[in-house]
């Protein structure tokens, strides 16, 4: 597995990261913690050294269990603080420290490498920054976290307004953005700025249900049509993506999706989440394959390059 440097953190990370959230949450809910820990260990054995979770996912203990016995300097941990339970009341400042300490116990570690404000909405940015950054600075001084991160609430912030503001200020060492070939808007507004400022970028929403469920894909294509954001030749039909498999360019639309994200300039780590060991192997193989052919990338840009109206959930 290829490794790169995660921006100004200096952390050496695998280009593929295992995500503990999404719909699967490592299979924790359906198959239990032992199964989820097994997925974590399989990912590590396959060369993944970046593991992402959150207090909101409930997978911190499973990740800690999966990594138990491995030297701490052999992997990088990313976790998150849900500052307002995704639309509820703001947490008190001391809740961040308590949540972080709970994460450390569950993960079986003395520190996390990156700790994020989780799902930060644009309207909440200033208040969250002023409320929680001082607590994060204190936690960093105490050695409980190493670098600051922030993740966007992509399902309501599809054009990345919060990340645009955060990148201007430069407080966060690592950001997590929604990005995929159906909504590649981050490539125009977020990734170039992150590159210039040496900010590590984690990619979420590379696939999700939009590319694995025909009904969801159809719904997203209809939204693109309604907004008039499809380019020349666009039509709201799933067969619009058939060209991805022509001439052996990609094995599937999912294979193409992971390769698109992995090789987009500015993306540091492409996250994949699954409850299935075979799917994990397939996804990691895709992330390690070469870039898509230029003609395929050009056609994707022609069709979807102006889209910022969907989240690909």
């Amino acid at each position: 597995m290829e490794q790169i440097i995660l921006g100004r953190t200096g952390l050496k990370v695998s280009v593929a990261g295992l995500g503990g959230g999404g719909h699967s949450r490592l299979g924790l809910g359906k198959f239990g913690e032992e199964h989820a820990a097994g997925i974590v260990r399989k990912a590590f054995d396959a060369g993944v050294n970046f593991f992402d979770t959150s207090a909101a996912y409930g997978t911190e203990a499973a990740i800690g269990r999966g990594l138990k016995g491995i030297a701490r300097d052999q992997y990088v941990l990313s976790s998150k603080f849900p500052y307002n339970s995704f639309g509820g009341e703001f947490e008190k400042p001391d809740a961040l420290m308590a949540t972080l300490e709970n994460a450390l116990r569950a993960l079986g570690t003395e520190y996390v490498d990156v700790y994020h404000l989780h799902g930060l909405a644009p309207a909440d940015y200033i208040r969250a920054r002023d409320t929680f950054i001082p607590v994060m600075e204190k936690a960093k001084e105490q050695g409980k976290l190493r670098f600051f991160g922030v993740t966007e609430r992509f399902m309501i912030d599809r054009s990345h307004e919060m990340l645009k503001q955060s990148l201007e200020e430069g407080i966060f060492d690592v950001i997590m953005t929604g990005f995929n070939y159906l909504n590649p808007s981050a490539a125009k507004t977020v990734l170039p700025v992150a590159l210039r400022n040496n900010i590590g970028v984690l990619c979420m929403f590379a696939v999700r249900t939009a590319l694995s469920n025909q009904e969801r894909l159809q719904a997203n294509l209809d939204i693109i049509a309604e907004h008039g954001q499809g380019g020349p030749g666009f039509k709201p039909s799933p067969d619009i993506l058939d060209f991805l498999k022509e001439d052996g360019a990609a094995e599937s639309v999912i294979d193409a999706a992971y390769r698109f994200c992995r090789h987009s300039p500015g993306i540091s780590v492409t996250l994949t989440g699954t409850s299935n060991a075979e799917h994990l192997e397939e996804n990691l193989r895709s992330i390690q394959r070469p870039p898509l052919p230029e003609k395929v990338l050009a056609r994707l840009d022609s069709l979807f390059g102006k889209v910022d109206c969907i989240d690909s959930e």
Side-chain angles (χ1 to χ4, degrees), residues 11-310:
L11 296 170
K12 196 172 184 180
V13 296
S14 51
V15 294
L18 184 67
H23 298 294
S24 66
R25 302 197 179 188
L26 307 175
L28 180 67
K30 187 174 182 180
F31 303 112
E33 186 174 289
E34 183 177 359
H35 173 90
I39 295 293
V40 172
R41 195 57 173 245
K42 286 181 182 297
F44 180 82
D45 290 343
V48 173
N49 81 335
F50 188 93
F51 298 88
D52 178 73
T53 183
S54 170
Y57 303 157
T59 51
E60 290 168 323
I63 289 176
R65 182 172 176 178
L67 297 172
K68 188 175 182 179
I70 300 172
R72 183 63 181 84
D73 62 359
Q74 296 301 300
Y75 56 87
V76 174
L77 289 175
S78 162
S79 195
K80 313 183 190 78
F81 171 63
Y83 71 98
N84 74 338
S85 301
F86 303 99
E89 292 295 319
F90 259 62
E91 296 283 0
K92 300 296 184 183
D94 57 3
L96 185 147
M97 188 69 80
T99 302
L100 173 57
E101 290 172 346
N102 287 337
L104 298 180
R105 284 191 288 272
L107 289 163
T109 184
E110 295 181 353
Y111 65 91
V112 292
D113 298 281
V114 186
Y115 200 59
H116 305 260
L117 296 182
H118 191 176
L120 185 51
D124 295 337
Y125 178 78
I126 293 174
R127 182 181 174 189
R129 177 199 65 194
D130 294 346
T131 301
F132 299 115
I133 289 299
V135 186
M136 293 173 73
E137 289 173 341
K138 182 178 179 180
K140 184 175 181 179
E141 291 171 1
Q142 295 175 349
K144 296 175 182 178
L145 66 85
R146 298 178 68 189
F147 301 101
F148 295 174
V150 65
T151 77
E152 67 182 354
R153 196 174 300 177
F154 189 44
M155 295 180 73
I156 65 166
D157 187 14
R158 300 176 182 94
S159 57
H160 320 287
E161 297 306 315
M162 184 280 296
L163 288 181
K164 293 176 190 176
Q165 186 170 1
S166 73
L167 286 167
E168 286 181 5
E169 296 188 351
I171 295 171
F172 298 98
D173 307 296
V174 179
I175 63 172
M176 184 182 292
T177 186
F179 180 66
N180 51 71
Y181 57 60
L182 295 182
N183 179 354
S185 56
K188 295 179 172 63
T189 58
V190 171
L191 301 186
V193 182
L195 266 175
R196 285 198 302 271
N197 294 285
N198 201 24
I199 303 300
V201 180
L202 312 177
C203 173
M204 61 177 172
F205 286 74
V207 176
R208 294 291 179 104
T209 54
L211 296 173
S212 60
N213 180 286
Q214 288 291 92
E215 291 183 4
R216 184 61 184 173
L217 174 59
Q218 183 63 64
N220 277 320
L221 294 174
D222 288 342
I223 292 171
I224 292 171
E226 289 168 9
H227 283 75
Q229 293 186 349
F234 175 84
K235 58 180 180 177
S237 172
D239 63 11
I240 195 174
L241 297 177
D242 286 352
F243 74 93
L244 292 168
K245 295 178 284 185
E246 292 175 0
D247 302 321
E251 292 189 357
S252 65
V253 295
I254 292 175
D255 174 61
Y258 280 121
R259 291 163 64 188
F260 175 84
C261 293
R262 152 68 184 101
H263 294 286
S264 289
I267 295 294
S268 308
V269 177
T270 300
L271 294 167
T272 181
T274 184
S275 62
N276 183 291
E278 291 183 358
H279 289 167
L280 174 65
E281 292 175 2
E282 291 172 4
N283 295 345
L284 295 181
R285 280 198 298 269
S286 292
I287 292 171
Q288 295 179 87
R289 288 188 178 120
L292 294 170
E294 286 297 327
K295 66 177 183 178
V296 171
L297 292 173
R299 188 165 181 185
L300 284 171
D301 183 63
S302 176
L303 290 170
F304 304 111
K306 297 181 180 179
V307 174
D308 68 358
C309 61
I310 63 167

